[in-house]
Structures are given as C-alpha cells and as structure tokens.
Amino acid sequence: MNFQKRLLRAEPNFRILAKLWQVNWLYVLLICALAMVGYCALYSAAGGSSRPFAGPQTIRFAIGLVMMVCVALMSPRVLTRLAWPLYGLSLVLLVAVLRMGHVGKGAERWLVIGGVQLQPSELAKIALVLVLATWFHRVSYRRMVNPLYLLPPAAMVLVPVGLVLKEPNLGTGVIIGVVGATVFFGAGMRLWQIALLLLPLPFLGKLAYSHLHDYQKARITTFLNPESDPLGAGYNIIQSKIALGSGGMWGQGYLHGTQGQLNFLPEKQTDFIFTMIAEEWGYVGGIAVIGLLMLMVVGGMLIAMRSRNQFGRLLGLGIATNFFLYCAVNLSMVMGTIPVGGVPLPLISYGGSAMLTVMFGFGLLMSAWVHRNDQFGEGEDRS
Amino acid sequence: MIGRRKTLQRLMSRPDADTPSRGVFTRRALVVLGAQMAAFGLLGHRLYGLQVLEGDHFARMAENNRVSRRLIAPPRGRVVDRFGIAVAANKVNWRALLLPEETSDIPGTLDRFSALVPIEARDRARIEREIRHKRRFIPVMLHDFLSWDDMARIELNAPSLPGVLIDVGTTRNYPFGPLLAHVVGYVAPPGEKDVAQDQTLALPGMRVGRAGIEQTQDGLLRGQVGAVEVEVNAVGRLMSELSRDEGQPGDEITLTIDSGLQQAVLGRIGDQSASAVVMDCRNGEVLAMVSNPSFDPSLFDSGVSQAQWQEWATDPRTPLINKAVAGVYPPGSTFKPAVAMAALQAGTLSPTDRIFCPGYLDVGGTRFHCWSRYGHGSLTLKEALKFSCDVFFYEVARRTGMDAIAAASHNFGLGTNLDIELPHTRPGLIPTPEWRRAHGQHWNGGDTIVSGIGQGFVQVTPLQLATYASRIASGRAVQPHLVRAVSGRLGASAEGSHWPALDMPEPFLNQLRVGMYAVVNEEHGSAPKARLDIPGVQMAGKTGSAQVRHVSRALRESGHFDSSLLPWEYRPHALFICFAPYDAPRYAAAIVVEHGNAGAAVAAPLARDIMTDTLTRDPSNRKEPPGQVVAEVEDFG
C-alpha cells in the first residue's frame, strides 16, 4: 500500500496507455528481428529442431519482451531510486558467486538460485550503468572539474570489475570497465583528467597479466599462434575459421553447414553461433547480421542523445555501449581477432541469463526514450 | 516515423540545447558512436577476408582435414556365478550400420540394401524413424547378426551402398540359457523413453536390462561411454585416429548363485511346475533359485516373435514369471512354526501345554477338521509339529489372535518385502483384521482359525519361505541376496554373519527346531521321506499342502476324496521348508511344487535330494567349484 502511494507520488501522470504509445515500437521491431535470426540459428544448431535450444529461447525472449515493456513504463524518478538497491544486490550476488558459484570451464561464473542459473556479472553491468547515470545526473558538469566528485563513481566501477576479474572472467571484467569508462566520458570528464588517468595504464596491464590464470594465458598465447596446438586451446579458433571459410560468399545453405552440423564447431549454440550463421548464410548473411547489430547500436545512441535529462542520456549511452561491446567482443572472438572468452552474442546466442539482462537493459533504454522530456532533480546549473 | 524525423531535426538544429552537459554529451556520444561504427566496419572487413578472400583456403581445410569425435559403447559388464563361471557374457555380433550424413539418397540405399539382405517392413519403419530423429552423424542399425554370406554380399556391393558400414558389436549371451533366466534376466535394445532419459543409449550396441539382475544392476553393468577422436575426410572416411578413450567397461557382477547347484536342483525338479530356493542360512546368500518352466533369455536381444510371446504369455505354468519371488502361495502347514512362535511369545502356549485333538474343532457353530479323521489325541507342541496336527494349531491360533501371528510372521520375513536384487517381486500377504477392514470386509473368528494352518488369505513366496527357514535355523534376521561382489569387491554380507539376532528367545526357536527335527527324523513323523542318507547329518523340515480349492465336508467325509484325481490346476500345492545340518545349520531351502498334491509325498523327497546335493557340493565352504556335476542333466529347457 505504502509502496503504491510512493510510486504514485513519484509519478503523478500514471497513464499507462499514453506511455505505451510513447514506446519506440520501431526499435522493438528491430529487437524482434534479431531474436528471429537467433531462433533460426538455434533451430539449425539443434540439427533442424526447435528442441532443445530454439523453443526454450523463444519463451525466454517473450518473457524478456514483457519485462522490457514493464521497465520502459517506469519513470526515471523510480529508476534512480531503484539504482542503489539493484547495485547492492548485484555486488552481493558477485560475492556469492565467488563463494559458492558453479565452476564452468575453469571459472566460477554461475549461481543457481531456485533452479535458475544466474550470471551475476551480467546484472552487475546494467546495475553499474544505472548507478553511474544516477550519480552524474546529480553532479553538475561544472562540478566535475573537481576530481573528488569522480572518486565515488570510480569506486563504483572498480569494485564489480575487481570481483568479476577474481571469478576469473577476463572478458566480462574488461567489458564492465569499458562501459564504466564510456559513461565517465559521456558525463563530461575533462580531457586532462583522462590523460592523467591513462599514464599509469601500461604498468597496470603488466600487473594484470601476472595475475592471469593459466588457462587465460594459454588463450592469449594460442591466439598468437593457434596452429601450435590444433586439438587443444587453439581448436576452437581453427574450427571457427574453417567454418567461416567454408561458408564463402553465399553460404552452404540453411541447415547444411558441414562444420556446424557435423559438430566440428564447438559451443555452436552459445559463443560460436555467429560462425554457424556465417557458414550457412555466407558472407552475405554474416554482414546482414552485423548490419542489424549496427542499427541497434545507432538507434540506442540516438535515443540517448534525444533525452533532455542527463540520467536518460547516460543510461542510453551505457546500455548501447554495453550492447556494442558484447557484439564486438563476440564477433572478434569467433573471427580469431581477440582471445576466446565466454561472451555470447546478445539476443542470438542460447542462454537465459544473458537474454534476460539484455532485455532488461533495453527496457531501461526504452524508459529513457519514453521519459525523454522529463526534467527532475538534475544537479545542473541551467543557462 | 514522424517522431524520429523530429528527433533528428532537433538534434541537428540545436546540438547543444538546454544545458552545457547536453552539448558535451552529444559531441562525445557522436565520437563514441563513430568509434563503434568503425569497429563494426573493421569486423565486416575481417569477415570479408576470412570468408571470401581466404575462404578457399579454409574451405579446403574443411574438406581435407576434419576432426570428429565419435562415441563408443562400453562393453557391458559380465555376470558370473560365485565361482566365476560366466552366466551372462558378450558375444561378437556383425551388423550393418547406416551413417545418414554420408548418403544423399537414403530410400535408394535402403532399397538396394534390402535387395541383398532382406529387411522386414517393421524394421524398415524403425530405421526410417531413427534416421529422422537421430543426429545425422549417429549411425543407425540396419541389420543385426549378419552371416558371413550377408557380409560378403554387402562388401561386394559397397560402391552402390554409400554410408553403409559393417561394424563389429557385441550381443548379450547367456551360456546357461533358461537355467538362470529368472535370476539373471535379459537385456533388450533401449526404447525411445530410455533414450530420452540418457542420450548415450542411442549408440548402437547399447542395451538396457529388462529383468532380473540385468535390470536391477543396470547402472553398474552399463559402464561409461568412451570416445575416439578421428580425422575424417570430406565424405567422412576415417583418415587417422588421434586419441581414444575406451570408456569404462561395465562392472562385473558376481552372484551368490552356484550354477552347478542350480543345475542339480533343476535336474531334481525335472519338468514339474515348481520353484526352489537354497540359501546359506547364516549370511543370506542365495545359492540356487529355480523357477520352472523357464525361457531362453537370449531371444530378447534380437527381438521375440509374436508367436513365441503369445505362447509364453498364455502358458498356465507361467514361464515368464519368476515363481521364487513373484509366485504367491498359501504356505499350508509350513506356516505352523510361525504360529507356534507367535503363541509362545504371546504366552498363550507353553512348551509343556497339551491340547487334545479329537479330529475336529467346533468354533462358533462351524466345524474345522483335522487332516486325520480320527484325531491325534493329546499333543504337546513338538508332537503337534511332528504330526502336523491341524486342530492343535486351530486352537493355538484361536488363543493367540491374528495380530500376534502376523507380527511373528513378519519377523520371520513372511509377507514382507525382502529387498532382494530382483525386479517385480511380490510381498505376499499375512492377513490381519485391519487389512480386512481396509477392504471393507469383516474379519471372522474362522479366518484366524484357518490362518493357523496357513490357509485362507495367507500368501507367501518361496523366497520368503527359504528366508523363514534360514531365520528359524540361525536365529538371525538374515536377508536373502544375490549379489556377492561387484568387480571383485565383496559385498558387506559375503562373509560371516553380521545379521542382528531375531527378536525371539532362543529356547522358543529351539522348540521349533526340535519339532522340525521330529518331522523328518522321528518314528511316525510326517515326512520320513525327507531323511538324509548321509551318515551323521540330519535335516529338519516341515511339510505343507496348500489347498487351492475349497473341499466340502461331505466330499471329505465320504472317504472317496483323492486330490490326485482332480484336474491339475485344482490339486493342492506341495511345499517343504528345511535346513541342515540340524546340529550346526548352514543351508536352508524351500520347495514349492505347483499342484504337486502333498508336501510329504512330493516335496519332501525333492527337498532331501536337493539338500543332499547342496551338502555334497557345500558351495559356501569352497573356493573352487566341485569337479563333477552332481546330477547329470540332459537338457535343462
């Protein structure tokens, strides 16, 4: 009862239908198109069957879609209040996954709660964007000259990054760090501050390499020379390249990719789903998927720029960058451009945790669009 | 659409509207967006390089050099008897497989194949279903048990049969055939439900236990699936083997059964419809478990024909049912020691009490007859057991009540689930007034009276009877079991006796043993034919004849009643329980001859012969099987 009252006070014009009308349905259509590509790819990954991948994934997408629309209707006032509890929860889960998470492929990443597999680092990314946007919304551009105002948000970035690196999940740790840095950049961090920060970076990189786990070092070395160990760590990269190559310009045809269908391609329903698409649909299909992903990023950035409050802008920037990094890291990985690390292709790869957090992120983005004209509690000195 | 255009217009016309932070943001966001688009451009470029420019190179690698993982079915574990003689083993089986991914014309290949080696319509439907449901690189079995001629024909025509390969697999082989069919059980190819539970069962050659030890120990016998990594060329021909993981062969199960004794026992039973269980009464090892008639278990691996199945299913002698654990019979007079124990424990009978038998007992207006028309006179418990007097036990049951009798019976293992390693066992029944009420019926005093001589609703299995005899002999709550060791590791109960003592005073148990001794060895005992012909060794036992049809008083009193003249299925069952040697019990046995007429005449001599064989072979005290088979059996089918 109390909560409802507070909600209504925070949002006086609680008119759901009007807000639903405001949702950017063109963008939703784009999301659905990508999910459709995912369905077709997973159908093929199962050898031409909706079980066991495509069917369950569609159900998750449907749930995610409903969740996205619900989040889109929440006003930024509510979201700024939710930011801190959500961030706290994600930190608790990150600690929990370190203590009692399930070890998958040499790294602790999964947490099982009530039979549902959860990847806390996914949630942490979204929560971090939310909490950073909340912070910089209240701190004015002018006040940011004082580095003291940058210290708390820096801590907000470093704590989850540290916890994720300790899991150890190098790929996700770097992604979280870059997402955080981008929000800093967008919020108006001065260039001299950035320059000052970049100076000790090479030293830090050396330190980080010495703390890498053996399997992560193996990934980096085999990446440099994959043919050295064709059945070991380099196997995935070689098989992925062979599959891409055998796809050629026009592809081998849907459901007829030899490498994917013959199971040479490892983890083809998760990390290497793009390889499978590019093998069956060729360069034409691959570039079409990349084009769709680009449209998603551009749309997200435009939504961010359109917002008339700092919170919405930074939220949009963070979500769009997060989505971009997912795509870029996954695509580089399957093309053998960066070392392999378990980063799925959003909306297309099989996996419930990633799907739901990505859709939650799009819900936030959509909320920024729906409430783009809202002005509230901004620590801004209006001109 | 319109909203979007407006957005762009506003962005373009007022890049730094409202606030300084918005201006900074827009500029920086455009920088970020530019970098992101550049990254996508680079990725697209890289993809072009991999797929189009270098595509041929990688495509050739795909054709020439592919690493494939193939799963291999582990050999199923053997089942051996207590002396290591194989009772279930694997036999080489040549079979033709089809790898669907290697043929473009599946129906054509199948047609050409069946022209060489005929495929039945039913099999063809199965093959087509499997091709549709399995992954294309999992081979589908076309034909099992190929002869040399078949193989030669297939090899000669190999060019017109793409995707067909000949593979050596194993099939389950039961060297003793029907002799141990009920104990060992049989295997069959997995059904679709099994495969849904465990994908590895889809491998050709995997089998699922469907009965007996094969079913209950399936998890141990099955083993772990192995894998080979091979290099294959474009059409999937094997180029070289890179690594091989043989998997884990299934465990070898050592039974407690002595197959030689089993053979001897079956030889004694001949072709009667009967069941016999021989146990080590100190540790509960089942040394022989015979259920006759039997069936050939190896038929199930290749598929049983409809006619054969029909024949088994309709045979009144139930060859498919293991009578030792799933056949339930009224125990008849073999139940009397349990009734006596209940009375001794309840205090309604003392060893010195005498009861007078005039040949009948009247209770509530109903007259219950003794088997002896003239009565036995005044009897103690020992004499009542010796003569198997009915009136004595009518009276004892009347005094004691059914609940106490049921409790003692359950302690002896009667009417309980004995947890033996066999599927489809039946618990039998010791009726109580409560059970009767649960079925909406009233328990009459007469029900207790007839239960006193093991008639009425009382039903037990031969295994329960053997356990009962073991417990009387040893005074311990021994549990019967069939698995002696798993892959050479002995089970906990293989040696010595660790079973807890029964909740029954030793002097009372002794009363039962003395009575059962008298039955066999004393003058005028009811089973003189069970006396052993071994110097210095005595057997104690108890006969039983269980009516399967009510005999009217008029018929009985007419003096012309002779059950051996009845049609087979109406004759009483003949039962016998026993243990030996009397002074230091080691073996216990129970024999039930279906419709065998009289326990004393039919089952008792059988028990003597079986116990003689057991004592001569003495399987519990040997490491190696005795040299010669005691009873020569021509054909144990």
Side-chain angles (χ1 to χ4, degrees), chain B residues 93-97 113 117-120 123 126-127 140-147 150 154:
Chain B
N93 164 25
W94 297 94
R95 55 194 183 182
L97 307 176
F113 182 87
V117 184
I119 303 178
E120 278 180 43
D123 280 338
R126 170 190 62 82
I127 291 165
V140 172
M141 220 248 313
L142 294 180
H143 202 288
D144 237 359
F145 306 105
L146 292 173
S147 67
D150 291 339
I154 294 168

Coordinates of all heavy atoms in Angstrom, one line a residue, chain B residues 93-97 113 117-120 123 126-127 140-147 150 154:
Chain B
N93 N 29.1 -59.8 -32.6 CA 27.9 -59.7 -33.5 C 28.2 -58.7 -34.6 O 28.6 -57.6 -34.4 CB 26.8 -59.1 -32.6 CG 25.6 -58.6 -33.4 OD1 25.4 -59.1 -34.5 ND2 24.9 -57.7 -32.8
W94 N 28.2 -59.3 -35.8 CA 28.5 -58.4 -37.0 C 27.2 -57.8 -37.4 O 26.1 -58.4 -37.5 CB 29.0 -59.2 -38.2 CG 30.4 -59.8 -37.8 CD1 30.6 -61.1 -37.4 CD2 31.6 -59.2 -37.9 NE1 31.9 -61.3 -37.2 CE2 32.6 -60.2 -37.5 CE3 32.1 -58.0 -38.4 CZ2 34.0 -59.9 -37.5 CZ3 33.4 -57.7 -38.3 CH2 34.3 -58.6 -37.9
R95 N 27.2 -56.5 -37.6 CA 26.0 -55.8 -38.0 C 26.3 -54.7 -39.1 O 27.4 -54.2 -39.2 CB 25.3 -55.2 -36.8 CG 26.3 -54.3 -36.1 CD 25.8 -53.9 -34.7 NE 26.8 -53.0 -34.2 CZ 26.9 -52.5 -33.0 NH1 26.0 -52.8 -32.1 NH2 27.8 -51.7 -32.7
A96 N 25.2 -54.4 -39.8 CA 25.3 -53.3 -40.8 C 24.7 -52.0 -40.3 O 23.6 -52.0 -39.7 CB 24.6 -53.8 -42.1
L97 N 25.5 -50.9 -40.4 CA 25.0 -49.6 -39.9 C 24.9 -48.7 -41.1 O 25.6 -48.9 -42.1 CB 26.0 -49.0 -38.9 CG 26.4 -49.9 -37.7 CD1 27.4 -49.1 -36.9 CD2 25.2 -50.2 -36.9
F113 N 20.0 -52.1 -50.3 CA 20.5 -53.0 -49.2 C 19.5 -54.1 -49.0 O 19.9 -55.3 -48.8 CB 20.6 -52.1 -47.9 CG 21.1 -52.9 -46.7 CD1 22.5 -53.1 -46.5 CD2 20.2 -53.6 -45.9 CE1 23.0 -53.8 -45.5 CE2 20.7 -54.3 -44.8 CZ 22.1 -54.4 -44.6
V117 N 20.2 -58.1 -48.4 CA 19.8 -58.7 -47.1 C 18.4 -58.2 -46.8 O 18.2 -57.0 -46.5 CB 20.8 -58.2 -46.0 CG1 20.5 -58.9 -44.7 CG2 22.3 -58.5 -46.4
P118 N 17.4 -59.0 -46.8 CA 16.1 -58.6 -46.6 C 15.9 -57.8 -45.3 O 16.4 -58.3 -44.3 CB 15.2 -59.8 -46.7 CG 16.1 -60.8 -47.3 CD 17.5 -60.5 -47.0
I119 N 15.1 -56.7 -45.3 CA 14.8 -56.0 -44.1 C 13.2 -56.1 -44.0 O 12.5 -55.8 -44.9 CB 15.1 -54.5 -44.2 CG1 16.6 -54.4 -44.4 CG2 14.7 -53.8 -42.9 CD1 17.1 -52.9 -44.6
E120 N 12.8 -56.5 -42.8 CA 11.3 -56.6 -42.6 C 10.7 -55.3 -42.6 O 11.3 -54.3 -42.3 CB 11.0 -57.3 -41.3 CG 11.1 -58.8 -41.3 CD 10.8 -59.5 -40.0 OE1 9.8 -59.0 -39.3 OE2 11.5 -60.4 -39.6
D123 N 11.1 -53.4 -39.4 CA 12.4 -52.9 -39.2 C 12.6 -51.6 -40.0 O 13.2 -50.7 -39.6 CB 13.5 -53.9 -39.5 CG 13.6 -54.9 -38.4 OD1 13.3 -54.6 -37.3 OD2 14.1 -56.1 -38.7
R126 N 11.2 -48.7 -38.4 CA 12.0 -48.3 -37.3 C 13.3 -47.5 -37.8 O 13.6 -46.4 -37.3 CB 12.5 -49.5 -36.5 CG 13.6 -49.2 -35.4 CD 14.2 -50.4 -34.8 NE 14.9 -51.2 -35.8 CZ 16.2 -51.0 -36.3 NH1 16.8 -50.0 -35.8 NH2 16.7 -51.8 -37.2
I127 N 13.9 -48.0 -38.9 CA 15.1 -47.4 -39.4 C 14.8 -46.0 -39.9 O 15.5 -45.0 -39.5 CB 15.7 -48.2 -40.6 CG1 16.2 -49.6 -40.0 CG2 16.7 -47.5 -41.3 CD1 16.5 -50.6 -41.1
V140 N 22.8 -45.5 -37.8 CA 21.6 -46.2 -37.5 C 21.8 -47.7 -37.8 O 22.3 -48.0 -38.9 CB 20.4 -45.6 -38.3 CG1 19.1 -46.4 -38.2 CG2 20.2 -44.2 -37.9
M141 N 21.3 -48.6 -37.0 CA 21.5 -50.0 -37.2 C 20.5 -50.5 -38.3 O 19.3 -50.3 -38.2 CB 21.2 -50.8 -35.9 CG 22.2 -51.9 -35.7 SD 21.5 -53.4 -35.8 CE 20.1 -53.2 -34.8
L142 N 21.1 -51.1 -39.3 CA 20.2 -51.7 -40.4 C 19.9 -53.1 -40.1 O 18.7 -53.6 -40.2 CB 20.9 -51.6 -41.7 CG 21.1 -50.2 -42.3 CD1 21.8 -50.3 -43.7 CD2 19.8 -49.4 -42.5
H143 N 20.9 -53.9 -39.8 CA 20.7 -55.4 -39.7 C 21.7 -55.9 -38.7 O 22.8 -55.6 -38.7 CB 20.8 -56.0 -41.0 CG 20.1 -57.4 -41.1 ND1 20.6 -58.5 -40.4 CD2 19.0 -57.7 -41.7 CE1 19.7 -59.5 -40.6 NE2 18.7 -59.1 -41.4
D144 N 21.1 -56.7 -37.8 CA 21.9 -57.3 -36.7 C 22.3 -58.8 -37.1 O 21.7 -59.3 -38.0 CB 21.0 -57.4 -35.5 CG 21.7 -56.7 -34.3 OD1 22.8 -56.2 -34.5 OD2 21.1 -56.7 -33.2
F145 N 23.2 -59.3 -36.4 CA 23.6 -60.8 -36.6 C 23.7 -61.2 -38.1 O 23.1 -62.1 -38.5 CB 22.5 -61.6 -36.0 CG 22.2 -61.3 -34.5 CD1 21.1 -60.6 -34.2 CD2 23.1 -61.6 -33.5 CE1 20.8 -60.2 -32.9 CE2 22.9 -61.3 -32.2 CZ 21.7 -60.6 -31.9
L146 N 24.6 -60.5 -38.8 CA 24.9 -60.8 -40.2 C 25.6 -62.2 -40.3 O 26.5 -62.4 -39.4 CB 25.7 -59.7 -40.8 CG 25.0 -58.4 -41.0 CD1 26.1 -57.4 -41.5 CD2 23.9 -58.5 -42.0
S147 N 25.3 -62.9 -41.3 CA 26.0 -64.1 -41.5 C 27.2 -63.8 -42.4 O 27.3 -62.7 -43.0 CB 25.2 -65.2 -42.2 OG 24.8 -64.7 -43.5
D150 N 26.0 -62.8 -45.9 CA 25.4 -61.5 -45.9 C 26.6 -60.5 -46.0 O 26.5 -59.5 -46.8 CB 24.6 -61.2 -44.6 CG 23.4 -62.0 -44.6 OD1 22.9 -62.4 -45.7 OD2 22.8 -62.2 -43.5
I154 N 27.4 -57.7 -48.9 CA 27.4 -56.2 -48.7 C 28.8 -55.6 -49.1 O 28.8 -54.6 -49.8 CB 27.2 -55.9 -47.2 CG1 25.7 -56.3 -46.8 CG2 27.4 -54.5 -46.9 CD1 25.5 -56.4 -45.3

